[in-house]
Amino acid sequence: MNIQPFLEDIAYELPEDRIASHPLPTREESRLLLVPPGERPFEDRIFSEILNYLVPGDCLVFNNSRVFKARLFLTRHDGKIFEILLVERLNETSWRAMVRNARRVKPHHRFRLEKWEASLQPDPEDPAYRIVHFSPSLDFEDLERLGEIPLPPYIVKKREKEGHYLLTSEDEKRYQSVLASLYGSVAAPTASFHFSEALLEKLREKGIVITALTLHVGPGTFRTISPADTEFQIHKEWITIPEETIDVLKETRKKGKRIIAVGTTSTRALETMAQHFPEDWQPYSGYTDLFIYGDFPFRVIDGLITNFHMPYSTLLLLVQSFGGKERVKAAYKHALEKGYRFLSYGDAMFLWRKDGVTS
């Protein structure tokens, strides 16, 4: 689809010093930019104050996908080491992967990783990927010992410039939501980073409903839209919305309370489901290639908690579609002027629908 008319709206200057390369010591002490509906002024808060903007019966929808240690280093038969990023487990022995220096890898080459032997074959569905076959099988639990957390490229790049360690033990805990439970993501649903166990408990005590779905975040989330992309194809991701979550959503709507997505991934999953079941929401499982931009008709969410996204990103298009193009552009300008921290380890914003509907 031709996305060129929208590019100017998601172009902005992001100074490198605004990219957060490390998390704050405490999750809920990040900053929160409140973006009320209409023309009401923005409010600069601390994230823990989100308690003051939610009422009993409001529902927060989290993505419970867990980042797995997807980065591996395989040794080829000639001793050369190749870095790979596992993207998706296809079956017990096979994974879809991205391979650094892939042109130097041939189908007949053999690789080792401790007791595992591996071969890398072309992916018949997408030439950007390879299919990696392991013998014996390699599972998520094995990767907890063998692999590395795949931090976003912009964090690694900034840490290199700062002279810091590229990966720390702290990342294993903090590049993960406290609600993460189901392995499958190579990038974290970062809006949930701001919630600690203590804050979640306070929310529950206030009567805020907490529910979850699953969207396994793929590397496509980091892909920005280039001016050369005359026909842009958004990435696919796997989602699962169980029956118990659907029941919670229906009950929330029945009571006239608000459904608030924690992150763009939760938004994408919920609105995908509603595309399939617009009148009577139902459990859903499958791939989504839903591209949210422009005048997208949101059917589920009333509010959105999200981090600040890269220029030219599809995620920023989604946020503008929900909150209003000019309103979100003004919020980003405010955040830059006020020194907010951007991207995965950065601060958050809480915004409502551009039409002012909040329930």
Side-chain angles (χ1 to χ4, degrees):
M1 61 187 69
N2 184 9
I3 205 69
Q4 294 297 314
F6 296 89
L7 288 187
E8 185 178 343
D9 299 328
I10 54 175
Y12 73 94
E13 183 87 23
L14 177 59
E16 190 177 55
D17 64 359
R18 295 301 168 83
I19 298 174
S21 59
H22 292 84
L24 295 175
T26 307
R27 288 179 183 267
E28 64 265 39
E29 291 309 304
S30 56
R31 298 175 69 187
L32 175 68
L33 176 58
L34 190 74
V35 184
E39 297 302 318
R40 290 159 53 190
F42 304 135
E43 298 181 33
D44 300 303
R45 300 293 183 219
I46 299 301
F47 194 84
S48 57
E49 295 180 84
I50 199 168
L51 278 164
N52 301 328
Y53 300 96
L54 299 171
V55 299
D58 282 348
C59 175
L60 293 178
V61 185
F62 286 81
N63 180 3
N64 64 10
S65 183
R66 186 172 185 83
V67 179
F68 66 98
K69 294 185 178 180
R71 180 166 284 111
L72 294 176
F73 296 89
L74 304 182
T75 302
R76 197 168 61 182
H77 58 269
D78 60 359
K80 298 286 179 61
I81 295 176
F82 285 78
E83 178 184 339
I84 71 170
L85 180 73
L86 301 179
V87 172
E88 180 183 15
R89 194 180 190 199
L90 302 175
N91 53 51
E92 287 190 0
T93 61
S94 300
W95 295 73
R96 179 170 286 114
M98 302 176 72
V99 181
R100 189 182 293 273
N101 296 322
R103 286 177 295 180
R104 295 168 55 194
V105 175
K106 306 301 179 185
H108 66 274
H109 289 169
R110 293 295 176 263
F111 298 82
R112 291 200 64 85
L113 176 66
E114 293 192 357
K115 70 176 182 179
W116 286 269
E117 294 184 354
S119 64
L120 282 63
Q121 308 297 322
D123 185 343
E125 297 182 8
D126 191 334
Y129 295 95
R130 297 295 175 97
I131 304 299
V132 187
H133 302 283
F134 289 98
S135 179
S137 64
L138 183 76
D139 57 30
F140 291 113
E141 287 69 29
D142 295 321
L143 291 174
E144 278 298 300
R145 182 178 63 82
L146 297 168
E148 292 183 356
I149 287 287
L151 287 181
Y154 48 76
I155 290 181
V156 174
K157 181 179 178 181
K158 189 171 183 189
R159 287 183 181 181
E160 283 180 329
K161 288 189 175 182
E162 295 169 338
H164 293 154
Y165 288 112
L166 303 187
L167 185 67
T168 70
S169 58
E170 180 186 40
D171 293 315
E172 296 195 15
K173 181 182 294 184
R174 295 299 300 276
Y175 194 69
Q176 202 81 267
S177 164
V178 296
L179 292 174
S181 58
L182 301 176
Y183 284 113
S185 285
V186 298
T190 56
S192 57
F193 284 1
H194 310 283
F195 293 85
S196 65
E197 295 282 8
L199 179 56
L200 288 171
E201 186 57 33
K202 289 178 182 178
L203 288 165
R204 293 186 181 101
E205 288 174 356
K206 187 173 180 177
I208 311 305
V209 180
I210 307 294
T211 192
L213 50 76
T214 305
L215 181 146
H216 292 316
V217 188
T221 194
F222 296 123
R223 183 186 171 193
T224 54
I225 305 171
S226 165
D229 286 328
T230 54
E231 294 295 325
F232 183 82
Q233 182 64 47
I234 198 168
H235 54 285
K236 294 193 303 182
E237 293 170 315
W238 181 268
I239 63 175
T240 302
I241 306 179
E243 185 174 2
E244 54 265 32
T245 296
I246 294 295
D247 291 343
V248 168
L249 297 174
K250 287 182 175 179
E251 186 66 16
T252 301
R253 185 55 51 87
K254 180 180 177 182
K255 292 180 177 179
K257 300 299 181 179
R258 300 173 297 185
I259 297 171
I260 299 155
V262 180
T264 56
T265 60
S266 292
T267 301
R268 194 180 191 209
L270 290 170
E271 297 298 336
T272 294
M273 177 276 296
Q275 293 272 301
H276 289 273
F277 307 106
E279 303 299 330
D280 183 21
W281 299 340
Q282 298 294 326
Y284 181 80
S285 186
Y287 283 104
T288 178
D289 60 358
L290 181 64
F291 194 177
I292 299 177
Y293 67 97
D295 294 323
F296 179 83
F298 289 89
R299 292 185 169 95
V300 182
I301 72 168
D302 306 301
L304 171 62
I305 300 167
T306 184
N307 284 21
F308 295 95
H309 303 290
M310 289 279 286
Y312 294 108
S313 74
T314 60
L315 307 182
L316 182 50
L317 276 176
L318 182 155
V319 175
Q320 288 186 356
S321 178
F322 179 75
K325 178 181 67 177
E326 297 304 325
R327 185 69 165 160
V328 171
K329 287 169 72 172
Y332 269 58
K333 183 175 183 291
H334 176 94
L336 287 167
E337 291 173 350
K338 295 293 183 178
Y340 279 74
R341 303 162 74 245
F342 277 55
L343 308 185
S344 294
Y345 276 149
D347 297 314
M349 64 190 302
F350 186 10
L351 66 158
W352 302 107
R353 290 171 57 150
K354 60 188 174 190
D355 57 14
V357 176
T358 59
S359 64

